[in-house]
Amino acid sequence: MAVRSNIVGIDSPEALEKALRAAYYLADEGLATAAYLGLALGKPLLLEGAPGVGKTEAAKAIAAVLGRRLIRLQCYEGIDASAALYEWNYPRQMLAIRQAGDESIDIYGETFLIERPMLAALRAPDSTVLLIDEIDRADQEFEAFLLEFLSDFQISIPERGTVRAVERPVVVLTSNRTRDLHEALRRRCVYHWIDYPTAEREARIIMMRASSVAESTARAVVAAVEKLRREPLSKAPGIAEAVDWAEAATLLHKGGARWPDAFKRSIGVALKDEEDLHFISPRLDAMLAEATA
């Protein structure tokens, strides 16, 4: 295994943590270590955690630190190889055949190839980061196909031959753990579970991402979302919702709304499900009063 001890000047997990912070992402020691090892060992990084804990943002921050283009493959039920690898531009091929008449034409040339995320990453491994987002939404057939890709980092195009990456591409996979992933997929990756941040860290994230928010407002939002996350909601507020809630409440407060009424009036930024709003409504005033006390 070829170990890359230095990646664009990053020679330790601590250096990567500092670089991620400069890219406005606060990574804890565990995430910084897992990401550094994935980069150094040339292995995919598998990030699991509840929706909204910052898995996708971590991939974006890694791409920013490396100075690379992020290529995102959003998984969904029924996704297949053609959506992930490549497709042929059939209408353009037919047009070219008609225009060529009796002349010979290669309808499998580069101009007819529609590049999808995984092929794009193979062709430019030194300037891209491939994000395979929410792999748990894909079915097991696609996961099996992905195993081969992550093993050899090559694909076969029957009409053109095999495409191999000249170096191991940087790959980040995320999962909300709606289903268990195959053990073989996990073995190919460096794994890290991302939990909701501590109250102190989340307040720092809010103030970093929303510069106009006061520290007292950030801490009140953190206290409120922590209470909401302990409730049986269909969609608990993630970090992004906490940041948006702090900004929205601050905006209303600057417009004349009092605390904690500014939080209550902007609750639709944090909770985005009618049943969740109905469920929490009877206790919302008490929650906000306690959070802002």
Side-chain angles (χ1 to χ4, degrees):
M1 178 186 298
V3 177
R4 297 173 289 188
S5 60
N6 189 296
I7 307 101
V8 294
I10 297 169
D11 57 2
S12 67
E14 292 75 20
L16 179 57
E17 182 180 351
K18 183 178 180 180
L20 289 171
R21 193 183 314 127
Y24 298 97
Y25 188 92
L26 289 182
D28 60 18
E29 181 183 8
L31 175 56
T33 301
Y36 171 75
L37 291 176
L39 294 172
L41 300 175
K43 285 182 170 290
L45 175 64
L46 173 57
L47 301 176
E48 277 197 319
V53 295
K55 302 182 296 296
T56 300
E57 288 301 315
K60 293 179 180 179
I62 290 171
V65 166
L66 297 178
R68 299 185 176 194
R69 177 170 61 100
L70 182 75
I71 301 175
R72 182 175 182 177
L73 174 61
Q74 177 62 56
C75 296
Y76 53 87
E77 185 178 354
I79 188 173
D80 58 12
S82 63
L85 289 175
Y86 69 92
E87 288 183 290
W88 292 109
N89 191 329
Y90 182 74
R92 191 169 183 177
Q93 287 175 321
M94 294 299 99
L95 178 61
I97 291 173
R98 287 197 297 269
Q99 291 177 338
D102 295 332
E103 296 181 10
S104 176
I105 183 173
D106 179 12
I107 62 171
Y108 296 109
E110 182 68 27
T111 57
F112 302 105
L113 185 64
I114 301 175
E115 195 177 68
R116 297 304 185 197
M118 289 169 66
L119 177 58
L122 286 184
R123 287 175 144 185
D126 58 342
S127 61
T128 60
V129 171
L130 175 62
L131 169 61
I132 303 176
D133 216 6
E134 298 183 315
I135 181 60
D136 53 320
R137 290 195 175 195
D139 52 34
Q140 294 182 347
E141 288 76 13
F142 182 78
E143 190 178 337
F145 154 75
L146 191 59
L147 289 176
E148 182 178 356
F149 174 82
L150 295 178
S151 295
D152 304 322
F153 289 108
Q154 67 178 39
I155 63 169
S156 177
I157 302 178
E159 301 85 359
R160 293 173 61 87
T162 300
V163 178
R164 296 181 178 86
V166 295
E167 63 177 72
R168 283 180 167 263
V170 176
V171 181
V172 180
L173 300 94
T174 72
S175 168
N176 294 330
R177 210 168 189 175
T178 57
R179 68 171 179 86
D180 288 333
L181 301 179
H182 197 283
E183 187 63 27
L185 178 63
R186 294 180 181 276
R187 285 200 305 268
R188 285 162 171 76
C189 303
V190 175
Y191 176 84
H192 183 69
W193 171 267
I194 299 184
D195 209 342
Y196 286 115
T198 63
E200 180 65 28
R201 182 179 294 274
E202 189 160 16
R204 288 171 59 198
I205 293 172
I206 291 173
M207 288 185 287
M208 174 185 284
R209 291 296 185 101
S211 58
S212 63
V213 172
E215 182 177 353
S216 58
T217 302
R219 294 189 180 279
V221 166
V222 169
V225 296
E226 283 188 335
K227 294 178 184 298
L228 291 172
R229 288 167 186 163
R230 290 194 289 267
E231 298 290 334
L233 303 176
S234 62
K235 188 183 184 307
I239 298 173
E241 283 77 22
V243 173
D244 290 345
W245 196 13
E247 286 190 306
T250 297
L251 184 64
L252 292 180
H253 178 63
K254 289 180 177 179
R258 295 178 177 273
W259 303 115
D261 188 51
F263 288 118
K264 183 177 181 180
R265 289 172 59 185
S266 55
I267 187 64
V269 177
L271 296 182
K272 302 175 182 180
D273 181 88
E274 189 274 334
E275 291 184 359
D276 287 347
L277 287 169
H278 181 75
F279 173 79
I280 212 70
S281 180
R283 288 170 294 136
L284 184 59
D285 286 337
M287 279 187 179
L288 295 178
E290 186 176 348
T292 55

